[in-house]
Amino acid sequence: MKTFLGLLFALLCIAAGTVFRPFWQSEYGAPTFILLVWLTMSVAMGWGGKGKRYAPWFGLVCASPIALSLVLALYTNTFIAAGVLIAIVYFGLKTKFVARRLEELKP
């Protein structure tokens, strides 16, 4: 069932990209894409699983560096974006932010 839903979602994304191609190539396309990535990643990373506690702050904190790196890659330089993302991931691992969430999710 999950595979079917994933395939259906991928087909819908392909259709949206094809039908709304002029919008995605306009000046509003890239910021809208970054916003959609940020929202999707926030929900996906905050979800703990079936029967687990949903953590919206964890999702927002984990999705924001990804969105920030996309914004930096779009408006500045790809290497600056990669450096910022690597630094944020390093600090996240150093402070054990992700490890604490993984401990909460253990059965």
Side-chain angles (χ1 to χ4, degrees):
M1 185 67 173
K2 288 181 185 179
T3 306
F4 174 73
L5 291 176
L7 182 61
L8 182 65
F9 181 71
L11 290 174
L12 287 173
C13 288
I14 291 169
T18 305
V19 172
F20 300 114
R21 184 180 178 121
F23 171 75
W24 294 115
Q25 291 178 339
S26 72
E27 64 180 294
Y28 300 111
T32 303
F33 176 74
I34 293 171
L35 177 69
L36 290 174
V37 166
W38 179 71
L39 288 173
T40 306
M41 295 294 286
S42 295
V43 171
M45 290 183 172
W47 186 64
K50 193 180 254 185
K52 303 287 184 181
R53 184 174 67 88
Y54 181 73
W57 288 114
F58 181 80
L60 288 172
V61 168
C62 287
S64 294
I66 296 168
L68 176 66
S69 66
L70 287 173
V71 168
L72 288 174
L74 180 65
Y75 293 114
T76 61
N77 189 343
T78 307
F79 295 113
I80 293 172
V84 168
L85 185 62
I86 289 170
I88 291 173
V89 168
Y90 172 76
F91 287 124
L93 293 173
K94 193 77 168 165
T95 60
K96 307 234 187 285
F97 179 75
V98 176
R100 287 188 299 239
R101 175 67 177 157
L102 292 176
E103 285 294 323
E104 289 178 6
L105 295 178
K106 281 188 178 176

